[in-house]
Amino acid sequence: MARRTESDAGDRFDAVADDLYGLPPADFTKARDAHAVEARNDGDRPLAERIRALRRPTLAAWASNLLVRAQPDEVRGVLELGEALRTAHRDMDGARLRDLSAQQRTLTVALARQARALAADAGQTLSDQALAEVRDTVAAALADPDSGTAWASGRLAHTLTPPAFPTVAPEGIARRSDRQKPAKAQPAAPGKVRDLGRARARREARERLAAARRAAREAAAHATRRERAAETARTRAQEAGRRHQQARDHLAELRRDLAAAEQARHDAADAERQARHEAQHAEREVAEARRTADDAAAHAERLAAETDDTGDTDDTGDTDAPNAR
């Protein structure tokens, strides 16, 4: 048998993950555990553990995954729009930002509605809160390339949260054409101050983004640790439940054996009483028979004695009897 490579294991994991995150949340856990057992039976323990670590998606995350799988062209459009928005923001292109931000709002709402319709077709109803989470996920994918990659994978277990700071410049930012005009009536110093302020704002925004990403990674890692601990606790609980059931079954068997032994004891006691009664009756009969035998023997001895006495008398008195006849 050919040795399985890491690439093969990775391909198998991707196939399993794609399959699982396409299922309704209610079917996720049972299918995941079945895949993990299959991998373990195949001797691939690391793959089984990776599969077991996959988390069941929330309803909003599942709807987001459903949207990604059903609308791949829309996904590419979102990622391209997100890149264009970030570029326009870096360039401080106010006109471009206003145009793209309008597209962003329209696209976010439209995709959320598509997700709700797809979920309804699959027999699931999205609440207003879940719909808002889907919109936030699309907004996060537009704002952050890492979030966009995670969303486009179609394997979200939880919805995404957009950055706290705006991804588009406010309406007050000057248009590129305005910035390119010479500032005839403005002294140089105020312009430098504005440039420094903008640079500082961008730097602070990047720092907030980095902090938010770190916080998100830490929260995700903490959630993963908690989920693993919960999974371990569930496994222990299941094992304890099995042992408890085994103990109950054993106790029931012992009780049945005890009941049978108790019945056997009662039967034996009844048999003993009956045998003792019969033995006593037999002893009485034996005693009676012995008395009868003793009486018969005594009677026989008396008869024998009497016979002996009578014989002696006859011998003496009847000596001439034959001649007489």
Side-chain angles (χ1 to χ4, degrees):
M1 180 177 178
R3 184 177 181 180
R4 183 173 298 159
T5 65
E6 292 183 3
S7 177
D8 293 335
D11 291 343
R12 184 176 178 184
F13 175 80
D14 289 338
V16 169
D18 286 339
D19 175 59
L20 291 176
Y21 285 105
L23 297 174
D27 299 336
F28 181 91
T29 302
K30 182 178 180 180
R32 179 200 62 191
D33 293 347
H35 280 295
V37 169
E38 182 181 0
R40 185 182 293 273
N41 291 339
D42 290 343
D44 198 337
R45 189 183 187 90
L47 176 60
E49 292 177 352
R50 287 185 69 191
I51 293 173
R52 181 77 67 178
L54 293 175
R55 302 273 65 87
R56 170 180 169 171
T58 64
L59 187 60
W62 168 76
S64 298
N65 296 334
L66 197 64
L67 175 66
V68 167
R69 294 162 185 264
Q71 302 291 348
D73 293 337
E74 297 286 358
V75 172
R76 285 191 292 272
V78 168
L79 299 180
E80 291 171 358
L81 178 59
E83 180 60 32
L85 277 165
R86 290 188 292 273
T87 299
H89 186 77
R90 285 193 300 268
D91 293 344
M92 304 299 289
D93 189 342
R96 180 68 171 156
L97 281 171
R98 281 188 290 273
D99 178 59
L100 293 176
S101 62
Q103 295 182 39
Q104 176 190 21
R105 288 189 292 271
T106 301
L107 184 60
T108 300
V109 172
L111 288 179
R113 288 176 178 171
Q114 288 184 39
R116 170 177 271 181
L118 290 168
D121 290 341
Q124 299 288 339
T125 301
L126 292 187
S127 64
D128 292 340
Q129 176 62 34
L131 190 65
E133 292 177 7
V134 174
R135 286 198 299 268
D136 286 345
T137 297
V138 177
L142 283 162
D144 175 51
D146 292 338
S147 296
T149 301
W151 174 66
S153 71
R155 300 180 190 174
L156 292 180
H158 302 283
T159 51
L160 304 174
T161 302
F165 55 86
T167 58
V168 297
E171 296 295 328
I173 293 180
R175 295 177 175 86
R176 177 185 291 272
S177 58
D178 295 337
R179 289 190 288 108
Q180 290 175 345
K181 294 178 181 179
K184 294 180 181 180
Q186 296 178 357
K192 291 181 179 180
V193 171
R194 284 194 299 274
D195 290 342
L196 289 174
R198 291 169 182 166
R200 184 167 54 253
R202 287 196 297 270
R203 184 176 63 255
E204 291 174 353
R206 287 194 296 270
E207 290 173 355
R208 286 195 297 271
L209 174 60
R213 286 176 175 170
R214 285 194 300 272
R217 287 194 296 270
E218 291 172 0
H222 179 71
T224 298
R225 289 193 297 271
R226 292 297 88 203
E227 288 169 347
R228 289 176 178 172
E231 186 69 24
T232 300
R234 284 193 294 270
T235 301
R236 290 176 178 173
Q238 291 172 356
E239 181 61 27
R242 285 194 293 270
R243 291 197 301 270
H244 183 205
Q245 186 60 46
Q246 290 173 354
R248 291 179 62 184
D249 294 342
H250 184 57
L251 178 61
E253 183 177 356
L254 290 175
R255 284 174 174 168
R256 288 192 296 270
D257 292 343
L258 177 61
E262 188 67 19
Q263 183 62 45
R265 185 183 69 82
H266 283 299
D267 294 343
D270 291 342
E272 181 187 12
R273 284 192 296 271
Q274 181 65 25
R276 288 182 183 277
H277 176 73
E278 293 176 354
Q280 291 172 354
H281 181 70
E283 287 174 355
R284 286 194 296 271
E285 290 182 343
V286 167
E288 182 66 22
R290 284 177 178 171
R291 283 195 298 271
T292 301
D294 290 343
D295 291 344
H299 180 67
E301 288 177 358
R302 286 194 301 272
L303 290 177
E306 292 174 357
T307 302
D308 290 342
D309 292 341
T310 303
D312 291 341
T313 302
D314 290 340
D315 290 341
T316 304
D318 294 336
T319 306
D320 296 330
N323 294 325
R325 283 195 300 268

Short mmCIF file of all heavy atoms in Angstrom, two decimals, residues 160-221:
data_model
loop_
_atom_site.label_atom_id
_atom_site.label_comp_id
_atom_site.label_asym_id
_atom_site.label_seq_id
_atom_site.Cartn_x
_atom_site.Cartn_y
_atom_site.Cartn_z
N LEU A 160 -18.06 37.23 10.45
CA LEU A 160 -16.94 38.16 10.59
C LEU A 160 -17.46 39.54 11.00
O LEU A 160 -18.61 39.89 10.72
CB LEU A 160 -16.18 38.26 9.27
CG LEU A 160 -15.66 36.93 8.71
CD1 LEU A 160 -15.05 37.15 7.33
CD2 LEU A 160 -14.65 36.31 9.65
N THR A 161 -16.59 40.28 11.64
CA THR A 161 -16.96 41.64 12.08
C THR A 161 -16.09 42.64 11.35
O THR A 161 -14.86 42.51 11.36
CB THR A 161 -16.75 41.78 13.60
OG1 THR A 161 -17.53 40.80 14.28
CG2 THR A 161 -17.16 43.17 14.07
N PRO A 162 -16.69 43.64 10.72
CA PRO A 162 -15.88 44.64 10.02
C PRO A 162 -15.09 45.48 11.00
O PRO A 162 -15.44 45.55 12.20
CB PRO A 162 -16.92 45.48 9.27
CG PRO A 162 -18.18 45.28 10.03
CD PRO A 162 -18.13 43.90 10.60
N PRO A 163 -13.98 46.13 10.56
CA PRO A 163 -13.19 46.97 11.45
C PRO A 163 -14.04 48.08 12.05
O PRO A 163 -15.03 48.52 11.47
CB PRO A 163 -12.09 47.52 10.54
CG PRO A 163 -12.03 46.58 9.40
CD PRO A 163 -13.42 46.07 9.21
N ALA A 164 -13.62 48.52 13.24
CA ALA A 164 -14.37 49.57 13.91
C ALA A 164 -14.24 50.92 13.21
O ALA A 164 -15.12 51.76 13.31
CB ALA A 164 -13.89 49.70 15.36
N PHE A 165 -13.14 51.12 12.48
CA PHE A 165 -12.95 52.39 11.79
C PHE A 165 -13.52 52.30 10.39
O PHE A 165 -13.63 51.22 9.81
CB PHE A 165 -11.46 52.77 11.73
CG PHE A 165 -10.61 51.70 11.10
CD1 PHE A 165 -10.44 51.63 9.74
CD2 PHE A 165 -10.01 50.73 11.90
CE1 PHE A 165 -9.67 50.64 9.16
CE2 PHE A 165 -9.25 49.73 11.32
CZ PHE A 165 -9.08 49.70 9.96
N PRO A 166 -13.89 53.44 9.75
CA PRO A 166 -14.50 53.41 8.42
C PRO A 166 -13.51 52.96 7.37
O PRO A 166 -12.33 53.29 7.43
CB PRO A 166 -14.95 54.87 8.18
CG PRO A 166 -14.09 55.67 9.09
CD PRO A 166 -13.82 54.82 10.28
N THR A 167 -13.99 52.20 6.40
CA THR A 167 -13.13 51.74 5.30
C THR A 167 -13.12 52.74 4.16
O THR A 167 -12.35 52.57 3.22
CB THR A 167 -13.64 50.40 4.77
OG1 THR A 167 -14.98 50.55 4.34
CG2 THR A 167 -13.60 49.35 5.87
N VAL A 168 -13.98 53.71 4.20
CA VAL A 168 -13.99 54.71 3.14
C VAL A 168 -13.82 56.06 3.78
O VAL A 168 -14.15 56.30 4.94
CB VAL A 168 -15.32 54.69 2.35
CG1 VAL A 168 -15.48 53.37 1.65
CG2 VAL A 168 -16.51 54.94 3.26
N ALA A 169 -13.23 57.00 3.04
CA ALA A 169 -13.00 58.34 3.57
C ALA A 169 -14.30 59.09 3.69
O ALA A 169 -15.25 58.84 2.96
CB ALA A 169 -12.05 59.09 2.64
N PRO A 170 -14.43 60.00 4.64
CA PRO A 170 -15.65 60.79 4.76
C PRO A 170 -15.86 61.67 3.56
O PRO A 170 -14.96 61.91 2.76
CB PRO A 170 -15.40 61.60 6.04
CG PRO A 170 -13.92 61.65 6.20
CD PRO A 170 -13.41 60.36 5.64
N GLU A 171 -17.08 62.16 3.46
CA GLU A 171 -17.44 62.96 2.30
C GLU A 171 -16.62 64.25 2.20
O GLU A 171 -16.49 64.84 1.14
CB GLU A 171 -18.94 63.31 2.36
CG GLU A 171 -19.85 62.10 2.26
CD GLU A 171 -19.74 61.41 0.92
OE1 GLU A 171 -19.49 62.10 -0.08
OE2 GLU A 171 -19.88 60.19 0.87
N GLY A 172 -16.05 64.69 3.32
CA GLY A 172 -15.31 65.95 3.31
C GLY A 172 -13.94 65.86 2.68
O GLY A 172 -13.27 66.89 2.50
N ILE A 173 -13.45 64.65 2.33
CA ILE A 173 -12.12 64.54 1.71
C ILE A 173 -12.16 65.14 0.32
O ILE A 173 -13.08 64.90 -0.46
CB ILE A 173 -11.67 63.07 1.65
CG1 ILE A 173 -11.45 62.55 3.07
CG2 ILE A 173 -10.43 62.90 0.82
CD1 ILE A 173 -11.01 61.13 3.13
N ALA A 174 -11.15 65.86 -0.01
CA ALA A 174 -11.14 66.54 -1.30
C ALA A 174 -11.00 65.54 -2.43
O ALA A 174 -10.42 64.47 -2.27
CB ALA A 174 -10.00 67.55 -1.34
N ARG A 175 -11.55 65.88 -3.60
CA ARG A 175 -11.39 65.06 -4.80
C ARG A 175 -9.96 65.13 -5.28
O ARG A 175 -9.23 66.08 -5.02
CB ARG A 175 -12.34 65.57 -5.89
CG ARG A 175 -13.81 65.41 -5.56
CD ARG A 175 -14.66 66.01 -6.66
NE ARG A 175 -16.07 65.75 -6.42
CZ ARG A 175 -16.84 66.52 -5.67
NH1 ARG A 175 -16.32 67.59 -5.06
NH2 ARG A 175 -18.12 66.22 -5.49
N ARG A 176 -9.53 64.08 -6.02
CA ARG A 176 -8.18 64.05 -6.56
C ARG A 176 -7.92 65.30 -7.39
O ARG A 176 -6.84 65.90 -7.31
CB ARG A 176 -7.97 62.78 -7.39
CG ARG A 176 -6.60 62.69 -8.05
CD ARG A 176 -6.52 61.48 -8.95
NE ARG A 176 -6.54 60.26 -8.17
CZ ARG A 176 -5.45 59.69 -7.68
NH1 ARG A 176 -4.26 60.25 -7.86
NH2 ARG A 176 -5.52 58.59 -6.99
N SER A 177 -8.92 65.67 -8.20
CA SER A 177 -8.72 66.82 -9.07
C SER A 177 -8.52 68.10 -8.26
O SER A 177 -7.74 68.98 -8.63
CB SER A 177 -9.92 67.00 -10.01
OG SER A 177 -11.11 67.15 -9.24
N ASP A 178 -9.24 68.17 -7.08
CA ASP A 178 -9.08 69.34 -6.23
C ASP A 178 -7.70 69.36 -5.61
O ASP A 178 -7.07 70.42 -5.49
CB ASP A 178 -10.13 69.34 -5.12
CG ASP A 178 -11.54 69.51 -5.70
OD1 ASP A 178 -11.64 70.03 -6.82
OD2 ASP A 178 -12.50 69.10 -5.03
N ARG A 179 -7.21 68.16 -5.21
CA ARG A 179 -5.89 68.11 -4.58
C ARG A 179 -4.79 68.41 -5.57
O ARG A 179 -3.70 68.86 -5.20
CB ARG A 179 -5.65 66.72 -3.95
CG ARG A 179 -6.51 66.50 -2.70
CD ARG A 179 -6.10 65.25 -1.95
NE ARG A 179 -6.50 64.03 -2.66
CZ ARG A 179 -5.65 63.23 -3.26
NH1 ARG A 179 -4.37 63.50 -3.27
NH2 ARG A 179 -6.07 62.13 -3.87
N GLN A 180 -5.02 68.17 -6.83
CA GLN A 180 -4.00 68.41 -7.82
C GLN A 180 -3.88 69.89 -8.21
O GLN A 180 -2.91 70.30 -8.83
CB GLN A 180 -4.30 67.58 -9.08
CG GLN A 180 -4.09 66.08 -8.84
CD GLN A 180 -4.52 65.28 -10.04
OE1 GLN A 180 -5.22 65.78 -10.93
NE2 GLN A 180 -4.10 64.02 -10.08
N LYS A 181 -4.90 70.69 -7.84
CA LYS A 181 -4.83 72.10 -8.16
C LYS A 181 -3.88 72.80 -7.21
O LYS A 181 -3.79 72.47 -6.05
CB LYS A 181 -6.22 72.73 -8.02
CG LYS A 181 -7.22 72.22 -9.04
CD LYS A 181 -8.58 72.86 -8.81
CE LYS A 181 -9.60 72.32 -9.82
NZ LYS A 181 -10.94 72.92 -9.60
N PRO A 182 -3.14 73.78 -7.67
CA PRO A 182 -2.23 74.51 -6.79
C PRO A 182 -3.01 75.31 -5.76
O PRO A 182 -4.03 75.91 -6.05
CB PRO A 182 -1.47 75.43 -7.75
CG PRO A 182 -2.37 75.59 -8.92
CD PRO A 182 -3.11 74.29 -9.06
N ALA A 183 -2.53 75.26 -4.54
CA ALA A 183 -3.19 75.99 -3.46
C ALA A 183 -2.71 77.43 -3.49
O ALA A 183 -1.77 77.80 -2.79
CB ALA A 183 -2.89 75.33 -2.13
N LYS A 184 -3.39 78.22 -4.32
CA LYS A 184 -2.93 79.60 -4.53
C LYS A 184 -3.16 80.46 -3.30
O LYS A 184 -2.31 81.25 -2.92
CB LYS A 184 -3.68 80.21 -5.72
CG LYS A 184 -3.35 79.54 -7.03
CD LYS A 184 -4.13 80.18 -8.16
CE LYS A 184 -3.82 79.49 -9.50
NZ LYS A 184 -4.59 80.11 -10.61
N ALA A 185 -4.33 80.30 -2.68
CA ALA A 185 -4.68 81.21 -1.61
C ALA A 185 -4.31 80.68 -0.25
O ALA A 185 -4.59 81.32 0.76
CB ALA A 185 -6.17 81.51 -1.64
N GLN A 186 -3.73 79.47 -0.18
CA GLN A 186 -3.44 78.87 1.11
C GLN A 186 -1.93 78.87 1.35
O GLN A 186 -1.17 78.53 0.45
CB GLN A 186 -3.96 77.43 1.18
CG GLN A 186 -5.47 77.35 1.07
CD GLN A 186 -5.94 75.90 1.11
OE1 GLN A 186 -5.12 75.02 1.16
NE2 GLN A 186 -7.25 75.71 1.08
N PRO A 187 -1.54 79.22 2.49
CA PRO A 187 -0.11 79.14 2.81
C PRO A 187 0.33 77.69 2.93
O PRO A 187 -0.47 76.79 3.10
CB PRO A 187 -0.01 79.87 4.15
CG PRO A 187 -1.37 79.76 4.74
CD PRO A 187 -2.33 79.77 3.60
N ALA A 188 1.59 77.44 2.86
CA ALA A 188 2.13 76.08 2.87
C ALA A 188 1.95 75.40 4.22
O ALA A 188 1.71 74.21 4.29
CB ALA A 188 3.61 76.10 2.50
N ALA A 189 2.07 76.15 5.27
CA ALA A 189 2.03 75.53 6.60
C ALA A 189 0.73 74.79 6.86
O ALA A 189 0.75 73.64 7.30
CB ALA A 189 2.28 76.58 7.67
N PRO A 190 -0.45 75.38 6.63
CA PRO A 190 -1.68 74.62 6.87
C PRO A 190 -1.76 73.35 6.05
O PRO A 190 -2.26 72.32 6.51
CB PRO A 190 -2.78 75.61 6.49
CG PRO A 190 -2.14 76.95 6.69
CD PRO A 190 -0.72 76.78 6.27
N GLY A 191 -1.29 73.38 4.81
CA GLY A 191 -1.32 72.18 3.98
C GLY A 191 -0.47 71.08 4.57
O GLY A 191 -0.85 69.91 4.57
N LYS A 192 0.69 71.46 5.07
CA LYS A 192 1.56 70.46 5.69
C LYS A 192 0.89 69.89 6.94
O LYS A 192 1.00 68.70 7.23
CB LYS A 192 2.89 71.08 6.06
CG LYS A 192 3.75 71.44 4.84
CD LYS A 192 5.07 72.02 5.27
CE LYS A 192 5.94 72.35 4.05
NZ LYS A 192 7.24 72.93 4.45
N VAL A 193 0.20 70.75 7.65
CA VAL A 193 -0.50 70.27 8.84
C VAL A 193 -1.56 69.24 8.47
O VAL A 193 -1.70 68.20 9.10
CB VAL A 193 -1.12 71.45 9.60
CG1 VAL A 193 -2.02 70.93 10.73
CG2 VAL A 193 -0.03 72.34 10.18
N ARG A 194 -2.32 69.54 7.39
CA ARG A 194 -3.34 68.59 6.95
C ARG A 194 -2.72 67.27 6.51
O ARG A 194 -3.22 66.19 6.81
CB ARG A 194 -4.18 69.17 5.83
CG ARG A 194 -5.20 70.20 6.31
CD ARG A 194 -6.21 70.47 5.21
NE ARG A 194 -5.59 71.03 4.02
CZ ARG A 194 -5.35 72.34 3.84
NH1 ARG A 194 -5.67 73.21 4.80
NH2 ARG A 194 -4.78 72.78 2.73
N ASP A 195 -1.59 67.38 5.76
CA ASP A 195 -0.92 66.15 5.31
C ASP A 195 -0.44 65.32 6.50
O ASP A 195 -0.57 64.09 6.51
CB ASP A 195 0.25 66.50 4.40
CG ASP A 195 -0.21 67.06 3.06
OD1 ASP A 195 -1.40 66.85 2.73
OD2 ASP A 195 0.59 67.70 2.37
N LEU A 196 0.12 66.02 7.48
CA LEU A 196 0.57 65.29 8.66
C LEU A 196 -0.60 64.66 9.40
O LEU A 196 -0.52 63.54 9.91
CB LEU A 196 1.33 66.25 9.60
CG LEU A 196 2.71 66.71 9.10
CD1 LEU A 196 3.28 67.76 10.04
CD2 LEU A 196 3.66 65.52 9.00
N GLY A 197 -1.71 65.40 9.47
CA GLY A 197 -2.90 64.85 10.13
C GLY A 197 -3.43 63.63 9.42
O GLY A 197 -3.82 62.64 10.05
N ARG A 198 -3.44 63.70 8.08
CA ARG A 198 -3.91 62.55 7.32
C ARG A 198 -2.98 61.35 7.50
O ARG A 198 -3.42 60.20 7.64
CB ARG A 198 -4.02 62.91 5.84
CG ARG A 198 -5.14 63.89 5.54
CD ARG A 198 -5.03 64.42 4.15
NE ARG A 198 -6.08 65.41 3.86
CZ ARG A 198 -6.06 66.23 2.81
NH1 ARG A 198 -5.04 66.19 1.96
NH2 ARG A 198 -7.05 67.08 2.63
N ALA A 199 -1.68 61.63 7.45
CA ALA A 199 -0.72 60.54 7.64
C ALA A 199 -0.87 59.91 9.02
O ALA A 199 -0.84 58.69 9.17
CB ALA A 199 0.70 61.05 7.45
N ARG A 200 -1.07 60.79 10.02
CA ARG A 200 -1.26 60.27 11.37
C ARG A 200 -2.55 59.46 11.47
O ARG A 200 -2.60 58.41 12.12
CB ARG A 200 -1.28 61.42 12.37
CG ARG A 200 -1.38 60.95 13.83
CD ARG A 200 -1.08 62.06 14.82
NE ARG A 200 -1.91 63.24 14.59
CZ ARG A 200 -1.45 64.39 14.04
NH1 ARG A 200 -0.18 64.50 13.67
NH2 ARG A 200 -2.27 65.42 13.87
N ALA A 201 -3.60 59.94 10.81
CA ALA A 201 -4.87 59.22 10.83
C ALA A 201 -4.73 57.86 10.17
O ALA A 201 -5.27 56.86 10.65
CB ALA A 201 -5.96 60.04 10.14
N ARG A 202 -4.00 57.82 9.04
CA ARG A 202 -3.79 56.53 8.37
C ARG A 202 -2.99 55.59 9.25
O ARG A 202 -3.27 54.40 9.33
CB ARG A 202 -3.10 56.75 7.02
CG ARG A 202 -3.99 57.36 5.95
CD ARG A 202 -3.38 57.17 4.57
NE ARG A 202 -2.10 57.85 4.43
CZ ARG A 202 -1.95 59.11 4.02
NH1 ARG A 202 -3.03 59.85 3.73
NH2 ARG A 202 -0.75 59.66 3.90
N ARG A 203 -1.94 56.15 9.89
CA ARG A 203 -1.12 55.31 10.76
C ARG A 203 -1.94 54.77 11.92
O ARG A 203 -1.84 53.59 12.28
CB ARG A 203 0.06 56.12 11.28
CG ARG A 203 1.04 55.27 12.13
CD ARG A 203 2.25 56.06 12.56
NE ARG A 203 1.90 57.18 13.44
CZ ARG A 203 1.89 58.45 13.07
NH1 ARG A 203 2.20 58.79 11.81
NH2 ARG A 203 1.56 59.41 13.92
N GLU A 204 -2.74 55.65 12.53
CA GLU A 204 -3.58 55.20 13.64
C GLU A 204 -4.60 54.16 13.17
O GLU A 204 -4.90 53.20 13.90
CB GLU A 204 -4.29 56.40 14.27
CG GLU A 204 -3.33 57.34 15.00
CD GLU A 204 -4.05 58.59 15.48
OE1 GLU A 204 -5.24 58.77 15.12
OE2 GLU A 204 -3.43 59.40 16.21
N ALA A 205 -5.12 54.37 11.95
CA ALA A 205 -6.07 53.40 11.42
C ALA A 205 -5.40 52.05 11.21
O ALA A 205 -5.97 50.99 11.52
CB ALA A 205 -6.67 53.90 10.11
N ARG A 206 -4.17 52.06 10.69
CA ARG A 206 -3.44 50.81 10.50
C ARG A 206 -3.17 50.14 11.84
O ARG A 206 -3.24 48.92 11.97
CB ARG A 206 -2.14 51.06 9.75
CG ARG A 206 -2.33 51.37 8.27
CD ARG A 206 -1.01 51.27 7.51
NE ARG A 206 -0.04 52.26 7.97
CZ ARG A 206 0.08 53.48 7.45
NH1 ARG A 206 -0.72 53.87 6.46
NH2 ARG A 206 0.98 54.32 7.90
N GLU A 207 -2.82 50.95 12.84
CA GLU A 207 -2.56 50.39 14.17
C GLU A 207 -3.83 49.78 14.75
O GLU A 207 -3.78 48.71 15.37
CB GLU A 207 -2.01 51.48 15.08
CG GLU A 207 -0.59 51.93 14.71
CD GLU A 207 -0.13 53.13 15.53
OE1 GLU A 207 -0.97 53.66 16.31
OE2 GLU A 207 1.04 53.53 15.40
N ARG A 208 -4.96 50.48 14.57
CA ARG A 208 -6.22 49.92 15.08
C ARG A 208 -6.56 48.62 14.36
O ARG A 208 -7.05 47.66 14.96
CB ARG A 208 -7.35 50.95 14.91
CG ARG A 208 -7.29 52.09 15.90
CD ARG A 208 -8.61 52.84 15.94
NE ARG A 208 -8.92 53.46 14.64
CZ ARG A 208 -8.53 54.69 14.30
NH1 ARG A 208 -7.81 55.43 15.14
NH2 ARG A 208 -8.86 55.20 13.11
N LEU A 209 -6.30 48.60 13.04
CA LEU A 209 -6.55 47.38 12.28
C LEU A 209 -5.68 46.24 12.77
O LEU A 209 -6.15 45.11 12.96
CB LEU A 209 -6.31 47.64 10.79
CG LEU A 209 -6.40 46.42 9.88
CD1 LEU A 209 -7.79 45.79 9.98
CD2 LEU A 209 -6.09 46.80 8.44
N ALA A 210 -4.39 46.54 12.98
CA ALA A 210 -3.48 45.49 13.47
C ALA A 210 -3.91 45.00 14.84
O ALA A 210 -3.91 43.80 15.12
CB ALA A 210 -2.05 46.02 13.53
N ALA A 211 -4.31 45.95 15.71
CA ALA A 211 -4.77 45.56 17.04
C ALA A 211 -6.05 44.72 16.95
O ALA A 211 -6.22 43.74 17.68
CB ALA A 211 -5.01 46.81 17.90
N ALA A 212 -6.96 45.15 16.06
CA ALA A 212 -8.20 44.39 15.90
C ALA A 212 -7.93 42.99 15.38
O ALA A 212 -8.55 42.01 15.81
CB ALA A 212 -9.15 45.13 14.95
N ARG A 213 -6.98 42.87 14.45
CA ARG A 213 -6.64 41.55 13.93
C ARG A 213 -6.02 40.68 15.01
O ARG A 213 -6.32 39.48 15.11
CB ARG A 213 -5.69 41.67 12.74
CG ARG A 213 -6.36 42.19 11.48
CD ARG A 213 -5.34 42.39 10.38
NE ARG A 213 -5.99 42.77 9.13
CZ ARG A 213 -5.31 43.20 8.04
NH1 ARG A 213 -3.99 43.30 8.08
NH2 ARG A 213 -5.97 43.51 6.95
N ARG A 214 -5.13 41.28 15.82
CA ARG A 214 -4.55 40.51 16.92
C ARG A 214 -5.62 40.05 17.89
O ARG A 214 -5.62 38.90 18.34
CB ARG A 214 -3.49 41.35 17.65
CG ARG A 214 -2.18 41.51 16.90
CD ARG A 214 -1.10 42.04 17.83
NE ARG A 214 -1.46 43.35 18.40
CZ ARG A 214 -1.19 44.51 17.83
NH1 ARG A 214 -0.55 44.55 16.66
NH2 ARG A 214 -1.52 45.64 18.41
N ALA A 215 -6.52 40.99 18.22
CA ALA A 215 -7.60 40.62 19.14
C ALA A 215 -8.47 39.52 18.54
O ALA A 215 -8.89 38.59 19.25
CB ALA A 215 -8.46 41.85 19.46
N ALA A 216 -8.74 39.61 17.24
CA ALA A 216 -9.56 38.59 16.59
C ALA A 216 -8.86 37.23 16.61
O ALA A 216 -9.48 36.20 16.87
CB ALA A 216 -9.89 39.00 15.16
N ARG A 217 -7.53 37.27 16.32
CA ARG A 217 -6.79 36.00 16.35
C ARG A 217 -6.77 35.40 17.75
O ARG A 217 -6.93 34.19 17.93
CB ARG A 217 -5.36 36.22 15.84
CG ARG A 217 -5.26 36.44 14.34
CD ARG A 217 -3.82 36.31 13.88
NE ARG A 217 -2.96 37.34 14.45
CZ ARG A 217 -2.73 38.53 13.88
NH1 ARG A 217 -3.32 38.83 12.73
NH2 ARG A 217 -1.93 39.40 14.45
N GLU A 218 -6.54 36.27 18.75
CA GLU A 218 -6.52 35.77 20.13
C GLU A 218 -7.89 35.23 20.54
O GLU A 218 -7.99 34.20 21.20
CB GLU A 218 -6.10 36.91 21.07
CG GLU A 218 -4.62 37.31 20.90
CD GLU A 218 -4.27 38.55 21.71
OE1 GLU A 218 -5.18 39.08 22.39
OE2 GLU A 218 -3.11 38.99 21.66
N ALA A 219 -8.95 35.95 20.13
CA ALA A 219 -10.30 35.48 20.47
C ALA A 219 -10.59 34.15 19.78
O ALA A 219 -11.19 33.24 20.37
CB ALA A 219 -11.34 36.53 20.06
N ALA A 220 -10.16 34.05 18.51
CA ALA A 220 -10.39 32.79 17.79
C ALA A 220 -9.61 31.65 18.43
O ALA A 220 -10.12 30.53 18.56
CB ALA A 220 -9.99 32.95 16.32
N ALA A 221 -8.34 31.95 18.83
CA ALA A 221 -7.54 30.91 19.47
C ALA A 221 -8.16 30.50 20.80
O ALA A 221 -8.21 29.31 21.15
CB ALA A 221 -6.11 31.41 19.70
#
